Amino acid sequence: MGRLKLLGLDAFVAIVGLGVTALVISVLVNIPVFRSAILPQQVASTVEVSSNPVGYPDATDIFQVEIRNGVGVQGAAEQMRDYLRSKGYDVVAVGNHHSFDVDKTTIVDRIGNLEIASQVAASLGLSPDRIQEDVRTEFHLDASIIIGKDYGMIPPFTQQSGTTQESNLNDTN
């Protein structure tokens, strides 16, 4: 019986020891000096892309953006995603905006860097007055694009035929 108690005590001490070790490691990983020694660092790279023949600038760095459909036209956000990816943007999310009554397409600066938001706006042929600032670092992206009712006036929608645009305007799923 004494051996079983001793074995149980040894197991308990081992479990507590593992817990303390895990706690110490997690604390060390959260200290920047130790974090860089323990975890590998990711380094962002830039990619040069060719110039846009339509006259709108391409992304010269890789910017992370999300696209929100604020007009309710089925497929609008996906079409915008395909266009921006072809221009060198990293589109990390596509989905619906919380409402479908957005009048004007808007670029929302999410990191407090208006230069990036301006680049995104210029890539879509939008003026700087379409940029809003709403810093949300928890989103882990540079900018949000909210597609508005004026979407037919901006790329990629201006590159469609008129009949396709009209059918998309009537498709509000």
Side-chain angles (χ1 to χ4, degrees), residues 46-74:
T46 59
V47 175
E48 293 294 325
V49 291
S50 63
S51 62
N52 185 345
V54 179
Y56 298 110
D58 290 331
T60 55
D61 291 315
I62 297 178
F63 301 132
Q64 293 185 318
V65 299
E66 71 169 344
I67 302 169
R68 295 291 166 212
N69 185 342
V71 72
V73 174
Q74 185 176 11

Side-chain angles (χ1 to χ4, degrees), residues 15-87:
I15 290 171
V16 169
L18 286 174
V20 169
T21 303
L23 181 64
V24 168
I25 289 172
S26 69
V27 168
L28 289 177
V29 167
N30 286 322
I31 297 173
V33 172
F34 294 114
R35 182 183 315 150
S36 62
I38 296 171
L39 298 175
Q41 296 293 321
Q42 291 184 341
V43 178
S45 63
T46 59
V47 175
E48 293 294 325
V49 291
S50 63
S51 62
N52 185 345
V54 179
Y56 298 110
D58 290 331
T60 55
D61 291 315
I62 297 178
F63 301 132
Q64 293 185 318
V65 299
E66 71 169 344
I67 302 169
R68 295 291 166 212
N69 185 342
V71 72
V73 174
Q74 185 176 11
E78 289 81 7
Q79 191 168 347
M80 177 73 74
R81 175 199 59 212
D82 295 344
Y83 175 81
L84 289 174
R85 283 185 175 165
S86 76
K87 300 299 173 197

Side-chain angles (χ1 to χ4, degrees), residues 12 28 39 44 71 74 77-78 82 86 100 106 114 119 123 131 134 143:
F12 176 75
L28 289 177
L39 298 175
V71 72
Q74 185 176 11
E78 289 81 7
D82 295 344
S86 76
F100 290 142
T106 307
L114 290 175
Q119 174 72 38
S123 293
I131 300 170
D134 184 11

Side-chain angles (χ1 to χ4, degrees), residues 114-140:
L114 290 175
E115 288 181 30
I116 292 174
S118 295
Q119 174 72 38
V120 174
S123 293
L124 295 173
L126 299 174
S127 62
D129 67 336
R130 298 289 188 94
I131 300 170
Q132 298 177 356
E133 187 174 29
D134 184 11
V135 175
R136 302 278 181 98
T137 56
E138 68 273 13
F139 286 5
H140 302 290

Side-chain angles (χ1 to χ4, degrees), residues 99-119:
S99 69
F100 290 142
D101 62 353
V102 177
D103 288 326
K104 293 183 177 183
T105 301
T106 307
I107 310 302
V108 183
D109 172 20
R110 296 297 187 193
I111 61 168
N113 186 337
L114 290 175
E115 288 181 30
I116 292 174
S118 295
Q119 174 72 38

